[in-house]
């Protein structure tokens, strides 16, 4: 769900205000994963984009999810005012990004995966110096941040070649990992064979919801 159309999004999509949708239809679902806009909390806002104003929807999202009485997930960037019930990193999934992400879980829990040591630096320019490394920086332009093809491989995303969409996305492996665990919680099935196929992205101006029903 997003306020604007996302024509390249490969999964079921609904255009609209996610908080309004939650208020009207949240009770119809067994679980909800919400991803509020991250710009208000990200490092760039404190640095390069300092002075710009972005919507901070985390408190409203927390309140909306608390009213549902079902297992929920909220995710956001490092620095966001969320509980760090689970922290995921691209290296945990063999991806070419680090991209740490916080996940606040309510109504259920799951083990924290081992944080695999990083294999090196993020490639590109930092403070006028060029570094080499096994990871790419999937945000912005220039600075040796890699090609679109490198971003797609690093994120595990092949359904868009748009830089803005790639830079705003969450690696689908993160949401799939939590989704599998959540399905086991909902079904009481301990098997690792619980299947879920989901996508994960976030538009710049809206809350993204993944709904399980």
């Amino acid at each position: 769900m997003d306020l604007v159309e996302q024509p390249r999004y490969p999964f079921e999509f609904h255009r609209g205000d996610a908080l309004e949708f939650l208020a009207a239809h949240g009770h119809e679902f067994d679980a909800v994963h919400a991803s509020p806009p991250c710009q208000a909390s990200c490092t760039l806002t404190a640095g390069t984009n300092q002075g710009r104003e972005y919507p901070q929807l985390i408190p409203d999202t927390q309140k909306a999810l608390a009213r549902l009485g079902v297992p929920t997930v909220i995710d956001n960037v490092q620095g966001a005012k969320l509980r760090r019930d689970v922290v995921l990193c691209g290296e945990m999934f063999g991806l070419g990004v680090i991209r740490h992400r916080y996940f606040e879980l309510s109504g259920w829990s799951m083990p924290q995966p081992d944080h695999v040591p990083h294999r090196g630096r993020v490639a590109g320019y930092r403070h006028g110096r060029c570094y080499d490394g096994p990871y790419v920086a999937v945000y912005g332009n220039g600075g040796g941040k890699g090609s679109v093809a490198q971003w797609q491989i690093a994120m595990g995303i092949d359904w868009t070649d748009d830089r803005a969409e790639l830079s705003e996305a969450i690696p689908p492996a993160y949401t799939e990992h939590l989704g599998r665990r959540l399905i086991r919680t909902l079904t009481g099935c301990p098997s690792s064979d619980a299947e879920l196929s989901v996508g994960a992205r976030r538009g710049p101006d809206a809350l993204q919801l993944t709904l399980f029903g």
Side-chain angles (χ1 to χ4, degrees):
M1 175 165 283
D2 205 328
L3 287 176
V4 296
E5 294 292 344
Q6 303 294 336
R8 282 177 286 270
Y9 190 66
F11 305 99
E12 184 176 341
F13 176 81
H14 298 275
R15 182 177 179 178
D17 185 290
L19 288 174
E20 292 179 1
F21 185 90
L22 271 181
H25 301 284
H27 65 280
E28 300 171 10
F29 297 90
D30 299 313
V32 177
H33 180 158
S35 183
C38 68
Q39 287 88 347
S41 303
C42 73
T43 303
L44 281 175
T45 299
T48 305
N49 296 338
Q50 191 171 8
R52 298 182 185 179
E53 294 186 3
Y54 297 96
Q56 178 53 273
L57 297 183
I58 291 176
D60 288 342
T61 303
Q62 290 170 321
K63 293 175 185 176
L65 295 181
R67 290 191 287 266
L68 299 181
V70 299
T72 63
V73 182
I74 304 177
D75 76 76
N76 221 271
V77 296
Q78 285 182 297
K81 294 181 179 180
L82 291 178
R83 292 195 316 271
R84 305 179 196 179
D85 296 327
V86 173
V87 180
L88 297 182
C89 166
E91 183 59 40
M92 297 175 179
F93 304 96
L95 299 175
V97 291
I98 294 177
R99 217 168 186 85
H100 293 116
R101 196 83 180 175
Y102 294 165
F103 295 84
E104 179 177 294
L105 315 182
S106 296
W108 71 293
S109 63
M110 60 170 282
Q112 167 63 49
D114 291 336
H115 197 159
V116 182
H118 302 161
R119 291 171 286 127
R121 297 188 64 100
V122 176
Y125 284 92
R126 299 289 184 282
H127 307 292
R129 181 178 175 183
C130 184
Y131 294 94
D132 191 17
Y135 309 104
V136 295
V138 183
Y139 65 87
N141 295 296
K145 291 186 172 65
S147 65
V148 168
Q150 288 174 315
W151 282 19
Q152 290 174 312
I153 294 170
M155 293 283 284
I157 292 175
D158 61 5
W159 45 264
T160 181
D161 58 2
D162 182 88
R163 277 192 181 269
E165 291 180 347
L166 285 165
S167 65
E168 292 165 4
I170 307 164
Y174 292 11
T175 308
E176 184 169 1
H177 180 74
L178 270 78
R180 289 179 186 274
R181 288 283 183 174
L182 181 50
I183 285 178
R184 293 179 210 173
T185 298
L186 293 172
T187 63
C189 175
S191 171
S192 61
D193 295 330
E195 291 297 329
L196 175 68
S197 178
V198 298
R201 79 164 310 280
R202 191 179 51 263
D205 302 312
L207 174 69
Q208 166 70 18
L209 297 180
T210 302
L211 303 166
F212 303 87

